């Protein structure tokens, strides 16, 4: 499955002018990186792949449409899937993008 070009464009619009970011195809989607660290991605599996503080995984997953990402058969703290329904409005998308940007910005640049 190809990533959602419209979602990628919406994410790009949010990030433009707010922070230095780069784009890179990875994990089957289009990732948006801050300081070389992935913040969010328009996922090739639908919705958005989000990086967050692993310590906040339980709280973030309590929101509808948000769950831990499964990688190599294992749920991963700090890697979340956000369903399309959970980011349908611009306000919702901005909120979740900011979670990813905040976490990526807290990491040492690569």
């Amino acid at each position: 499955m190809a990533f959602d070009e419209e979602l990628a464009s919406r994410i790009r619009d949010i990030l433009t002018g707010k922070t230095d970011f780069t784009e890179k195809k990875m994990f089957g989607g289009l990732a948006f990186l801050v300081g070389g660290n992935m913040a969010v991605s328009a996922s090739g599996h639908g919705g958005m792949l989000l990086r967050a503080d692993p310590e906040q995984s339980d709280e973030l997953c309590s929101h509808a449409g948000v769950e831990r990402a499964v990688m190599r058969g294992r749920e991963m703290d700090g890697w979340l899937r956000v369903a399309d329904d959970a980011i349908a409005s611009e306000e919702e998308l901005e909120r979740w993008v900011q979670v990813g940007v905040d976490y990526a910005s807290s990491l040492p640049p690569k």
Side-chain angles (χ1 to χ4, degrees):
M1 170 186 228
F3 65 88
D4 183 340
E5 294 277 352
E6 182 181 338
L7 176 57
S9 179
R10 290 173 62 209
I11 294 169
R12 188 179 299 112
D13 288 346
I14 290 168
L15 293 175
T16 299
K18 289 190 177 181
T19 186
D20 290 329
F21 72 93
T22 55
E23 298 178 25
K24 182 177 182 179
K25 289 186 179 180
M26 53 192 301
F27 302 123
L30 183 63
F32 295 86
L33 297 88
V34 176
N37 295 294
M38 193 193 98
V40 297
S41 175
S43 177
H45 300 283
M48 187 168 68
L49 180 62
L50 168 73
R51 251 192 92 209
D53 182 341
E55 298 288 320
Q56 295 180 341
S57 294
D58 286 338
E59 189 273 323
L60 294 171
C61 287
S62 70
H63 296 272
V66 180
E67 62 187 16
R68 285 175 177 79
V70 176
M71 297 181 187
R72 296 184 180 157
R74 204 176 100 194
E75 287 187 350
M76 302 293 292
D77 284 339
W79 292 89
L80 308 176
R81 294 222 172 263
V82 183
D84 287 322
D85 290 349
I87 52 175
S89 75
E90 290 310 304
E91 294 79 23
E92 292 167 324
L93 180 61
E94 284 183 33
R95 175 189 186 274
W96 290 109
V97 167
Q98 194 60 52
V99 169
V101 168
D102 288 348
Y103 184 67
S105 298
S106 76
L107 300 172
K110 288 185 178 182

